[in-house]
Amino acid sequence: MPLLTLTSDFGMQDYLVGAVKGRLLQQNPEFTLVDISHTISPFNYPQAAYISRNAIRQFPSHTYHLLLVNLFEKKPEQLLLAFHQEQYILCADNGLLSMMLEDKPEMIIGLPLDPKAIKNTLYCVQVMGEAIQKLHNGARLQDIGIPDVPFVEKNHLRPLFGENWMEGQIIFIDHFENIVVNITRDQFEEHRKGRPFKIVFKRNEVIDKVAETYADVPEGEKLAIFNAAGYLEIAINKGNAAGLFGLQGFTEQAKHLQSRLFYQTVKIMFG
């Protein structure tokens, strides 16, 4: 039976998460629904892209992933259904798809919305569910919508590079208040070229080695580590890194506030 994942910015306080599941199960009671996260920060595309990208890649081929994030950035005329690296992704036409994939999708179609319909969250979910059911019944992807439709693209949040430095943005703060930076292990090692380094943040805070586990430093000490998704993470062993250092995650709104930008970035100096 079809396996569906759900990622949203709904939060857990009201009825929407349950209502979405109910609407999908009305279409097919045998849908298997898996929650990825419903606590994406509002309007935070970098966070949504990071969470969904690194969860989706762990699922079996031909899983359907519903990204219910910022569905109404603009008045919707279509939803998107993409097929990429053997995964189906359904989302609003708001730029999140290209940020999450960090690439163009292998196949994409537009799912037109009825101009007469009341375009609320549950209607969008119903359109997505109907498309999934058609594919499950054997329809071809290109037959259930508009193939190769133009769609909104946004660049994913990239680190900055200089000859002897690189700078990343804080894209996520996890449940333990560990800080995730948009620098991958591969990017770090490629730019490092074997040189010594210093990870610099919050003015005078410096880390000059990468740990393998949190237990590599004494309790209460800061460390840098590459997490299970391969991204740089700054943490305190059994402590609260984000709160202690006063660091905040990147948001679209905050990137325009230069006085706060320092608290959103982490710099690595080489040599």
Side-chain angles (χ1 to χ4, degrees), residues 74-221:
K74 61 178 184 178
K75 187 174 181 178
E77 297 179 356
Q78 67 174 0
L79 299 172
L80 301 178
L81 170 54
F83 185 72
H84 190 76
Q85 295 182 351
E86 299 191 330
Q87 302 289 338
Y88 292 101
I89 302 152
L90 300 98
C91 62
D93 185 9
N94 59 12
L96 176 59
L97 180 65
S98 56
M99 291 187 70
M100 190 271 291
L101 296 180
E102 299 182 330
D103 199 357
K104 290 186 178 294
E106 296 166 12
M107 297 179 65
I108 187 163
I109 68 165
L111 301 175
L113 302 179
D114 184 349
K116 299 179 181 179
I118 297 174
K119 298 177 181 65
N120 57 28
T121 298
L122 294 180
Y123 170 71
C124 292
V125 169
Q126 180 172 328
V127 172
M128 292 179 179
E130 289 170 352
I132 292 169
Q133 189 61 41
K134 289 176 183 177
L135 289 170
H136 178 63
N137 290 340
R140 298 189 308 165
L141 187 64
Q142 55 267 40
D143 292 337
I144 64 172
I146 304 170
D148 301 319
V149 69
F151 64 100
V152 175
E153 297 184 64
K154 292 182 179 178
N155 293 326
H156 65 277
L157 200 60
R158 297 179 175 91
L160 303 176
F161 297 92
E163 183 177 352
N164 296 313
W165 60 272
M166 63 190 305
E167 183 177 271
Q169 292 81 34
I170 298 169
I171 53 173
F172 186 58
I173 297 173
D174 70 14
H175 177 68
F176 298 97
E177 299 214 20
N178 301 323
I179 300 157
V180 180
V181 183
N182 66 328
I183 294 174
T184 67
R185 182 189 293 272
D186 289 344
Q187 290 170 330
F188 170 77
E189 294 296 352
E190 181 179 354
H191 206 62
R192 177 188 179 190
K193 299 176 182 176
R195 294 177 289 180
F197 63 90
K198 292 182 179 180
I199 301 172
V200 183
F201 57 98
K202 195 61 167 68
R203 297 182 176 88
N204 59 347
E205 295 292 343
V206 175
I207 299 173
D208 60 5
K209 64 179 66 176
V210 174
E212 293 184 4
T213 72
Y214 298 105
D216 286 354
V217 302
E219 187 172 327
E221 289 294 316

